[in-house]
Amino acid sequence: MNAPVPGALEQLLAHYLKLERQARAAASLEVLSFSMVNDSQPLFGYRHGALLIAGKVRALTGISVVEPNAPFVVFIERMVARLGASDRFALPGAVPPETVDQASRDDWQALSAPHAFWLPLKDRRGEVFGGLWLARDHAWSDAEQVLLAQLGDCYAHAWGALQPRKPWRLRWPARTRLAVAACVLLLFLIPVRQSVLAPAEVVPLNGQVVAAPLDGVVAEVLVKPNQPVQAGELLVRFDATALKAQADVAERTLGVAEAELKANTQRAFSDADSSARLDLLAARVEQKRAERDYARNLLARSEVRAERGGIAVFADAQRFVGKPMRTGERLMEIADPAQAELRIELPVADAIGLDKGAEVALFLDSDPLNRHAATLERAAYEAQATAAGQLAYRLDARFADAPPRIGLRGTAKVFGAHAPLALYLLRRPLAALRQAVGI
């Protein structure tokens, strides 16, 4: 018995099942979008089809790249937007031209086919996230509309499998989105306290700076960093070889001048010339005595002693030994370990308005879990280059309680005045923008 030849209905059903199989086998949204607007064209005979997701055209029949500003694309998006404001948006069916205004009908006649069909795509909760706009020259039959509705369910299921969540613009209703935007705006207007972070160091308060008393070479540093010292204790010794020779020569020169003065004094009773030279020789003796005293003073200053008790604050003794120093060049600092302050280097890019008495919190690198409270005492008006080559303002703060050990470093958080949250978050981007555009 011969098998029956398939009729038109069997061919239609086979083509429809092929469309469903292609949709479910799509590997990406791009492949599925192309299939939705092109593969069903031979079955339903439409002139053109457009896939819209979240109100925007995603794919067009026979078009590889969608131009957002094309007249046809603008027309389709406007028509679907009008459908979204009516009850027909969630229902598949033909779109009557009389439901739109005259301007839209004119565009419809110029850009699209006379008979259009809207096929909505719904997610698992039954909410529309997109749809297909299909247009052809003759009316849609009831059987075709049933097949399209069933095909729309297949397309929506395949789209949801590739993109489980619908576009963000459709996740919340318009009122909810407006309320969220208003809440975010109000949140940005909430006043918060400005603060900046800057590197900081614990430095001596009212310490005595020990400087080089003369031009010379350091021979020996007799104390170690952070070593306790007493008043009068020897700290640094300079090379005194040349100074000792200079003092010895000055001493001998003074002896010669005194001997010459004594001899002329004895001859003054019988020699008029010797009597006349007495004043000159006496002045020369005073000159040589002053030179001797100066040489002795320099020799005494070759040994630097502490003028007060405390601890010796400096980095490394070896950096001074054998190094020629100039008068006034810093050697170390004698400080009271119980008296210290906080020195902050605030970068120019992070500078905010700060007043005396502003709150400061120090977090030491060696103890980051504990907070040390301080109060801002001084803020420099002029920025200076730091050791790292960065321009920064110097801030000095006084500790509220017992200060940490001198020399410790960490990060200081300096609190300023209150400002809106938007300014707190966007202060640096706005400053960079102003510097870039010059306004």
Side-chain angles (χ1 to χ4, degrees):
M1 183 176 181
N2 296 330
V5 177
L9 182 60
E10 286 80 0
Q11 292 180 358
L12 180 65
L13 181 59
H15 197 164
Y16 172 79
L17 294 176
K18 180 181 178 181
L19 292 177
E20 282 196 344
R21 184 169 63 254
Q22 289 178 345
R24 301 185 191 280
S28 63
L29 292 178
E30 288 72 17
V31 174
L32 179 60
S33 301
F34 181 85
S35 176
M36 291 167 69
V37 297
N38 291 280
D39 292 344
S40 59
Q41 187 179 23
L43 179 61
F44 297 103
Y46 51 82
R47 186 192 302 177
H48 50 248
L51 170 64
L52 294 96
I53 302 297
K56 298 296 180 180
V57 175
R58 182 74 174 263
L60 292 173
T61 302
I63 302 295
S64 58
V65 178
V66 177
E67 176 58 45
N69 298 321
F72 179 74
V73 173
V74 174
F75 162 73
I76 294 296
E77 291 177 353
R78 186 171 69 251
M79 292 297 298
V80 173
R82 291 182 177 275
L83 286 175
S86 64
D87 297 337
R88 302 182 57 86
F89 185 66
L91 301 175
V95 182
E98 58 272 9
T99 58
V100 299
D101 55 17
Q102 184 61 41
S104 297
R105 285 200 295 270
D106 295 340
D107 293 339
W108 191 339
Q109 184 177 1
L111 300 174
S112 185
H115 300 277
F117 189 90
W118 171 247
L119 181 61
L121 303 177
K122 302 179 182 180
D123 58 14
R124 294 181 179 88
R125 294 180 297 181
E127 297 181 3
V128 179
F129 65 87
L132 283 170
W133 174 278
L134 308 175
R136 67 184 188 182
D137 296 326
H138 55 278
W140 300 87
S141 65
D142 294 340
E144 289 175 327
Q145 295 188 28
V146 172
L147 283 178
L148 282 172
Q150 185 66 25
L151 186 61
D153 292 340
C154 175
Y155 284 156
H157 182 271
W159 190 277
L162 294 174
Q163 182 181 347
R165 301 184 66 185
K166 63 181 180 179
W168 65 270
R169 284 177 289 182
L170 296 179
R171 293 174 191 169
W172 295 336
R175 291 183 178 179
T176 304
R177 296 199 299 268
L178 183 61
V180 171
C183 292
V184 172
L185 180 60
L186 292 177
L187 182 64
F188 281 154
L189 297 178
I190 294 178
V192 296
R193 196 173 183 184
Q194 296 188 87
S195 63
V196 292
L197 297 176
E201 181 182 5
V202 181
V203 298
L205 177 63
N206 299 326
Q208 175 210 345
V209 177
V210 179
L214 48 82
D215 294 347
V217 178
V218 176
E220 186 179 7
V221 179
L222 302 174
V223 294
K224 297 180 180 179
N226 296 332
Q227 175 181 331
V229 297
Q230 304 295 328
E233 184 175 346
L234 184 59
L235 303 176
V236 179
R237 180 182 290 116
F238 281 78
D239 185 6
T241 303
L243 296 177
K244 290 179 180 179
Q246 182 179 352
D248 185 58
V249 170
E251 184 72 30
R252 293 177 181 274
T253 304
L254 175 61
V256 172
E258 289 178 343
E260 187 176 0
L261 175 61
K262 183 177 180 181
N264 280 271
T265 302
Q266 293 175 352
R267 292 196 300 267
F269 295 101
S270 59
D271 189 357
D273 292 338
S274 298
S275 178
R277 296 178 57 192
L278 287 179
D279 293 338
L280 177 61
L281 294 176
R284 183 178 296 176
V285 168
E286 293 299 325
Q287 177 187 358
K288 298 304 180 181
R289 182 176 289 113
E291 292 177 355
R292 184 205 60 182
D293 294 341
Y294 177 70
R296 287 180 175 179
N297 185 34
L298 286 180
L299 182 59
R301 288 162 60 184
S302 65
E303 293 185 347
V304 182
R305 299 182 180 274
E307 297 182 5
R308 53 178 284 189
I311 60 173
V313 180
F314 62 102
D316 184 16
Q318 296 301 321
R319 60 180 294 190
F320 297 125
V321 176
K323 177 183 178 182
M325 308 291 291
R326 299 187 63 86
T327 303
E329 194 169 351
R330 185 189 182 103
L331 296 173
M332 64 183 68
E333 188 173 358
I334 305 300
D336 185 352
Q339 296 184 3
E341 64 179 0
L342 183 64
R343 180 170 300 169
I344 306 169
E345 295 177 347
L346 179 61
V348 173
D350 295 333
I352 61 175
L354 297 172
D355 298 326
K356 182 178 180 180
E359 181 183 353
V360 179
L362 172 64
F363 300 92
L364 296 173
D365 294 338
S366 58
D367 188 15
L369 299 181
N370 291 326
R371 166 178 174 156
H372 300 270
T375 304
L376 184 64
E377 290 288 329
R378 294 172 299 276
Y381 288 99
E382 183 180 358
Q384 296 181 347
T386 63
Q390 183 182 24
L391 281 178
Y393 294 101
R394 173 179 167 178
L395 308 179
D396 296 328
R398 187 180 295 268
F399 289 100
D401 300 322
R405 181 177 64 82
I406 294 174
L408 293 179
R409 300 185 64 89
T411 301
K413 186 173 185 179
V414 187
F415 296 90
H418 286 78
L421 179 61
L423 179 60
Y424 179 82
L425 297 176
L426 303 176
R427 179 179 57 85
R428 295 194 66 175
L430 289 175
L433 179 63
R434 292 194 63 182
Q435 295 176 3
V437 302
I439 58 173

